[in-house]
């Protein structure tokens, strides 16, 4: 088991390094921060001084090594816009993002998982078809389209809810609904597929043939085995709590990390963008690592297989 966990931790660390490296290179090839922040009317002397002050005139390999050296010391850089620490700007926005993503994650689970289980247990029924049609619609409609439709109906036409901002709890309803529906649709589809696969296994038929009550067959045999692929999706959703809010926060003018990322990218505020991407990568990798650990405990076969990977 120790080797299994060591391999997973090593892969997680390598993934974070690759994500940070990719973001570092792409950001520096996408445009000059000096021109974006100072504007085209700035003199060449001012631009040169700005680049020198922020180390942008150094070779990219030197900037790369200096960046990782700073990360090792716990320094994630400062915003080129106002000079404040990038991590401070991000931490200020995290509560607003969690105020949307945590309730949305809760509703994804309580809507998607029971719907998928019920559809699998009533395969071919009208309810099954309705659940799957709704799930497909929720899965295929982009989040920004759904957000705009909700604004058009509930904010513009009906006037029941505000279209944006963060002044009261009513402002959070539409963003939470937008984030919830797509994830609930994904969970419903995967849970249904996992349940149907398990229900078709020989040990389910054997348990039924022995006279085990159907309710016990489902709760004691089907659900625990169907939980493994569902845990994978849940782990991915936990890891993408911040990344998934980028579009929704922009549409609803919600002052969270996602909206900060959009503004920072537009302004080429390198330290802020890198800090957010590092946070997202660490969140996703950590959640997937926890899922791997759960796999190791839930299914010894996966642990034995992973030890030889």
């Amino acid at each position: 088991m120790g080797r299994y966990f060591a391999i997973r931790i090593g892969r997680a660390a390598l993934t974070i390094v690759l994500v940070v490296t990719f973001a570092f290179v792409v950001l520096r090839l996408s445009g000059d921060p000096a021109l974006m922040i100072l504007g085209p009317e700035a003199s060449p002397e001012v631009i040169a001084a700005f680049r020198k002050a922020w180390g942008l005139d150094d070779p990219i390999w030197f900037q790369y090594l200096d960046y990782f050296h700073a990360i090792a010391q716990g320094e994630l850089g400062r915003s080129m816009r106002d000079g404040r620490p990038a991590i401070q700007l991000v931490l200020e926005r995290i509560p607003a993002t969690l105020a949307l993503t945590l309730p949305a994650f809760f509703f994804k689970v309580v809507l998607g998982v029971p719907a998928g289980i019920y559809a699998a247990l009533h395969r071919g029924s009208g309810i099954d078809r309705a659940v799957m049609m709704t799930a497909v619609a929720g899965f295929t409609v982009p989040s920004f389209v759904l957000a705009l439709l909700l604004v058009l109906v509930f904010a513009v036409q009906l006037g029941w809810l505000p279209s944006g901002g963060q002044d009261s709890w009513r402002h959070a309803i539409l963003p939470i609904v937008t984030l919830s529906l797509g994830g609930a649709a994904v969970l419903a589809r995967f849970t249904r597929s996992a349940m149907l696969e398990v229900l078709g296994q020989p040990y389910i038929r054997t348990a039924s043939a022995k006279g085990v009550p159907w309710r016990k067959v489902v709760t004691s045999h089907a659900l625990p085995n169907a939980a493994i692929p569902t845990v994978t999706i849940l782990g991915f959703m936990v890891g993408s709590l911040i990344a998934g809010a980028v579009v929704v926060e922009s549409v609803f003018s919600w002052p969270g990390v996602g909206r900060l990322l959009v503004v920072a990218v537009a302004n080429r505020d390198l330290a802020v963008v890198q800090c957010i991407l590092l946070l997202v990568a660490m969140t996703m990798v950590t959640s997937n690592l926890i899922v791997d650990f759960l796999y190791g405990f839930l299914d010894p076969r996966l642990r034995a297989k992973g030890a030889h990977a």
Side-chain angles (χ1 to χ4, degrees), residues 53-194:
W54 291 98
L56 299 175
D57 57 346
D58 294 328
I60 190 170
W61 62 267
F62 184 85
Q63 296 182 47
Y64 178 76
L65 295 178
D66 185 62
Y67 176 59
F68 269 91
H69 181 261
I71 290 179
Q73 295 180 330
E75 174 61 46
L76 299 180
R78 292 180 173 271
S79 170
M80 294 181 180
R81 302 289 298 182
D82 56 16
R84 297 172 62 194
I87 187 64
Q88 180 180 346
L89 294 173
V90 175
L91 292 177
E92 290 176 353
R93 301 293 189 100
I94 286 181
T97 296
L98 294 181
L100 295 183
T101 55
L102 291 182
F105 180 78
F106 171 78
F107 287 118
K108 290 176 187 179
V109 176
V110 299
L111 293 176
V113 174
I117 294 173
Y118 190 87
L121 295 177
H122 299 80
R123 184 179 183 181
S125 66
I127 294 179
D128 178 30
R129 290 191 292 270
V131 169
M132 286 302 97
M133 288 178 60
T134 304
V136 170
F139 179 75
T140 55
V141 175
S143 58
F144 72 91
V145 174
L146 178 60
L148 293 176
L149 288 175
L150 291 176
V151 169
L152 179 63
V153 174
F154 294 99
V156 177
Q157 294 185 351
L158 299 177
W160 291 352
L161 296 169
S163 60
Q166 194 196 14
D167 296 333
S168 68
W169 62 269
R170 298 177 67 250
H171 291 77
I173 294 178
L174 291 182
I176 290 174
V177 171
T178 304
L179 289 171
S180 301
L181 292 181
V186 173
L187 274 177
R189 292 187 63 189
F190 274 88
T191 302
R192 178 182 181 273
S193 298

